[in-house]
Amino acid sequence: MNAARTAASAEQSGTAGHRLPIIAVTMGDGAGIGPEVIVPALLHPDTLRGCRPVVIGDAHRLRQAADILGISCDIVAVDAPAQAEFTPRRINVVDLGLLPADLPWGTLDAAAGDAAYHYIRVAAQLAVNGEVHAICTAPLNKEALHAAGHLYPGHTELLAHLTGVDEVSMMLSTPKVKVIHVTTHLGLIDAVNRIEPGLVERTVRRGHEAMVRAGVDTPVIGVCGINPHAGENGMFGYGEEESKIVPALEAVRNDGIDARGPIPADTAFFLAGRGDYDLIVAMYHDQGHGPVKVLGIETGVNLTVGLPVIRTSVDHGTAFDIAGTGRAEAGSMVEALRQAAEMSSASAAR
């Protein structure tokens, strides 16, 4: 064991370790790469230095993943996070036992979709009850979720429902750029119709609050337009920037929020990457997701902003094409756990 891991393990077992936030790590779709990124991420020295992770999932599936990866560790079932022990090479699991023992890797299965729903349900309840400080999610498969009868567009909407919140925002975070979305899982025409000043204003405010929570006291926020060149004074589109975005910016600026725009989306991310903006507000899914995945998907993290609990996630899908092969990269999960721990600690300090 290297020196960093030894130090991390000592901290976990000592008084300092007991002050680290407890993070519920949901296993996602068990047929995907979730188990294969969770095992190495939970054993990573950076994770052990920052938090006490407890998986909500299936112990048998995690053991299968460890075998595929050639990792030797103890995967131990516990009834609740309070029963978890944090010792070297140990992974604690609240084992719901919902997956078939012979579930194939890389296939769409309603049983896996149902299990993924219940992992989230249990984690949300633990967070609301104060038994964990944050939730970090491995990817689920929307089609499998729907096949199991849980008709939600994804984690974001599911967590909002489970915690009794009417409206939340998706934020993507990479080392180079952070982006929050006004709309997410909607077709482009529906997204443009959905955008209105109140929704833009609430999204900017949620983004501002999230950045302050993360330790940026006075964030500079760049707000994208809807049309090419942000409409270019009415040359493109039908005045959407003036009618849907400008009133929202005026409202938040009156409260001291530094929100600038509307700015052309094709330059916004370049400007953010060089440091002009701490946060970009994207109007629709691909406007924000495309640049983020080019700039840093390997270490990208998905945050749900506006929940009563902290939630981070990997910024990749279930990757059925490589599930069960041991080829999945755990970097995004390590970063998601780091940010969950960081935000939990920042919240506790405020």
Side-chain angles (χ1 to χ4, degrees):
M1 183 179 294
N2 62 34
R5 181 166 291 171
T6 301
S9 299
E11 183 182 43
Q12 285 287 346
S13 59
T15 302
H18 290 294
R19 292 196 298 267
L20 297 176
I22 300 174
I23 310 297
V25 184
T26 59
M27 203 176 75
D29 192 299
I33 62 172
E36 293 171 84
V37 298
I38 285 174
V39 170
L42 266 61
L43 299 175
H44 195 283
D46 289 350
T47 300
L48 298 174
R49 277 193 293 268
C51 67
R52 292 176 287 165
V54 178
V55 181
I56 314 299
D58 186 293
H60 176 70
R61 196 59 162 181
L62 291 173
R63 294 185 188 110
Q64 290 179 323
D67 288 343
I68 289 169
L69 295 166
I71 292 176
S72 176
C73 61
D74 294 323
I75 296 173
V76 182
V78 297
D79 292 331
Q83 296 180 0
E85 298 177 10
F86 298 92
T87 55
R89 311 301 293 174
R90 170 173 168 142
I91 294 175
N92 298 280
V93 189
V94 176
D95 186 6
L96 301 190
L98 297 173
L99 294 179
D102 59 352
L103 177 72
W105 296 94
T107 61
L108 192 144
D109 194 297
D114 185 59
Y117 167 82
H118 287 290
Y119 303 153
I120 292 293
R121 178 186 59 78
V122 171
Q125 191 60 58
L126 291 170
V128 169
N129 291 346
E131 296 179 63
V132 300
H133 300 98
I135 299 170
C136 181
T137 60
L140 53 72
N141 182 280
K142 297 177 181 64
E143 192 174 351
L145 186 72
H146 293 180
H150 306 295
L151 303 181
Y152 300 91
H155 270 123
T156 302
E157 296 83 2
L158 173 54
L159 278 162
H161 170 75
L162 290 170
T163 57
V165 175
D166 292 331
E167 187 177 275
V168 295
S169 298
M170 177 187 293
M171 179 184 287
L172 302 181
S173 173
T174 77
K176 290 185 177 181
V177 65
K178 292 177 173 59
V179 56
I180 190 169
H181 294 70
V182 175
T183 66
T184 50
H185 298 118
L186 292 172
L188 186 55
I189 293 173
D190 292 334
V192 174
N193 289 334
R194 175 76 180 275
I195 297 166
E196 50 86 19
L199 179 58
V200 175
E201 178 183 344
R202 294 191 297 274
T203 303
V204 173
R205 291 186 186 278
R206 280 192 287 268
H208 179 267
E209 291 169 4
M211 295 301 294
V212 171
R213 174 186 280 184
V216 182
D217 290 332
T218 55
V220 179
I221 302 172
V223 181
C224 291
I226 296 172
N227 296 295
H229 300 218
E232 200 162 320
N233 298 317
M235 183 173 295
F236 304 110
Y238 297 92
E240 289 88 354
E241 281 74 21
E242 289 297 322
S243 64
K244 294 174 178 283
I245 300 175
V246 170
L249 298 185
E250 291 173 348
V252 299
R253 287 171 188 152
N254 286 337
D255 288 335
I257 294 175
D258 190 352
R260 306 177 186 182
I263 56 177
D266 59 356
T267 59
F269 293 90
F270 165 74
L271 296 173
R274 76 177 188 185
D276 291 20
Y277 300 110
D278 298 301
L279 176 68
I280 293 294
V281 179
M283 291 295 126
Y284 52 89
H285 185 281
D286 287 9
Q287 188 181 65
H289 276 63
V292 165
K293 291 188 176 183
V294 170
L295 291 171
I297 189 171
E298 295 87 358
T299 53
V301 174
N302 183 329
L303 299 88
T304 304
V305 180
L307 293 171
V309 300
I310 293 165
R311 179 258 174 164
T312 67
S313 179
V314 295
D315 187 30
H316 59 70
T318 50
F320 280 169
D321 57 326
I322 62 169
T325 68
R327 291 160 48 200
E329 295 288 338
S332 184
M333 178 58 76
V334 173
E335 180 63 15
L337 284 161
R338 187 194 69 77
Q339 292 202 30
E342 184 179 83
M343 292 180 71
S344 299
S345 299
S347 293
R350 288 185 179 272

